[in-house]
Amino acid sequence: MASVPSGSVRRRWRLDPHRLVVLGVFTILALPLVVTLGYALAGHWGASLLPDSLTLKWFVELWATPRFQAAFVRSLLVAVGALALSLVLILPVAFLAQTRYPRLDSWMNGLILMPFAVPPVVSSVGLLQLYAGGPLPLVGTPWILIPTYFTIVLPFMYRAIANSLRAIDVVSLMDAARLLGAGPLQAFFLVVLPNIRVGVQIAIFLSFSFLVGEFVFANLLVGTRFETLQVYLNNMRGASGHFTSALVVTLFAFTLVLTWLGNRQSGQDLAKESAS
């Protein structure tokens, strides 16, 4: 069998259209972030192609700002509260839809499309009319953001959990647990929940990345009365461009690290399950 010259292999790799498309898309997506990072690290960037000097002053100033620290903590609290509410409500619904009430799954498949069909601005106007007064004046408080964010993460949370339950054949798993003497709650928490742990983790980290970047609901329903990270970024748009660039890079890095940790944990869990 004739051997292929190494030069032709390298030429084929370079001219592979699939790799060129992937490289082009990656370049388009990464270029704005690279420029933003460069501006955040620049001490001064005038009319030249490259910055005159590099410094970490803007990042140090950002993390030393009490207003940013407070907005960071508020965003974490609201996101964690919304995710906790989502798990408490969606886990039982997805479990019942896959075990006892199959028609509930078709209803949920239609319901999870509503957040995509109704724009956030329209939903915000309706929530303002509903909760601006009356017995539950929630507008301007963080309590309105938690159930509102629940509607954002509903599609991602329900679909990931439902797919995980369907993949493990939860009905057969529950029947086996009952044959061994486990009650319904015991079988759910000790048998079903550990088997869908990876799907739940993926749903949590994916939903968290959306909640950290949410701006419309937070700005219209609460605004500066409960300033989250995105609202803080909007309010600081008139400040130094270097400072706001450092803020954007920090938000991106925080979301990226959390996503990487979630993927790494999920990969380790899948590897352990495959080995066992």
Side-chain angles (χ1 to χ4, degrees), residues 173-174 177 182-195 197:
L173 203 60
M174 288 293 295
L185 291 179
Q186 189 178 12
F188 175 77
F189 285 104
L190 298 181
V191 179
V192 175
L193 199 56
N195 280 278
R197 182 178 65 251

Side-chain angles (χ1 to χ4, degrees), residues 2-266:
S3 60
V4 181
S6 59
S8 62
V9 174
R10 287 195 296 268
R11 193 180 306 111
R12 189 184 310 164
W13 186 90
R14 292 173 184 173
L15 299 179
D16 189 351
H18 300 92
R19 289 186 173 88
L20 292 177
V21 170
V22 172
L23 181 61
V25 172
F26 179 80
T27 303
I28 293 174
L29 295 176
L31 186 59
L33 180 63
V34 172
V35 175
T36 304
L37 176 62
Y39 202 69
L41 294 174
H44 177 74
W45 198 341
S48 59
L49 182 62
L50 297 176
D52 299 334
S53 60
L54 298 177
T55 180
L56 294 175
K57 178 182 69 174
W58 308 112
F59 288 97
V60 175
E61 181 180 345
L62 174 67
W63 284 99
T65 303
R67 187 177 172 185
F68 167 76
Q69 298 172 1
F72 187 82
V73 173
R74 293 189 192 105
S75 294
L76 289 181
L77 291 177
V78 172
V80 170
L83 291 175
L85 177 64
S86 301
L87 287 176
V88 170
L89 295 180
I90 295 176
L91 261 176
V93 172
F95 176 75
L96 292 175
Q98 300 299 322
T99 54
R100 294 190 179 184
Y101 307 105
R103 293 188 60 184
L104 181 59
D105 185 59
S106 61
W107 282 95
M108 290 300 298
N109 288 331
L111 182 62
I112 62 178
L113 296 177
M114 294 300 294
F116 300 104
V118 182
V121 175
V122 177
S123 301
S124 299
V125 173
L127 291 171
L128 286 172
Q129 295 293 328
L130 185 61
Y131 294 110
L136 292 174
L138 298 179
V139 175
T141 67
W143 303 112
I144 196 174
L145 287 181
I146 293 178
T148 301
Y149 282 179
F150 166 76
T151 63
I152 298 177
V153 303
L154 173 62
F156 311 102
M157 191 76 71
Y158 177 79
R159 182 46 52 205
I161 294 176
N163 291 339
S164 298
L165 289 171
R166 192 177 296 112
I168 64 173
D169 192 4
V170 65
V171 176
S172 301
L173 203 60
M174 288 293 295
D175 292 340
R178 289 174 183 174
L179 289 175
L180 295 174
L185 291 179
Q186 189 178 12
F188 175 77
F189 285 104
L190 298 181
V191 179
V192 175
L193 199 56
N195 280 278
I196 63 172
R197 182 178 65 251
V198 175
V200 172
Q201 289 177 351
I202 293 174
I204 289 175
F205 282 101
L206 180 62
S207 302
F208 187 85
S209 63
F210 277 89
L211 294 183
V212 171
E214 202 286 320
F215 169 72
V216 177
F217 285 118
N219 188 49
L220 293 179
L221 298 178
V222 181
T224 56
R225 285 169 287 186
F226 190 80
E227 197 175 46
T228 60
L229 281 174
Q230 292 297 326
V231 176
Y232 174 72
L233 175 60
N234 179 67
N235 294 334
M236 295 300 294
R237 64 185 185 275
S240 169
H242 300 282
F243 184 84
T244 53
S245 297
L247 176 57
V248 171
V249 172
T250 300
L251 293 179
F252 177 82
F254 178 69
T255 305
L256 182 64
V257 168
L258 284 178
T259 304
W260 176 77
L261 289 176
N263 292 334
R264 183 171 180 268
Q265 182 64 36
S266 300

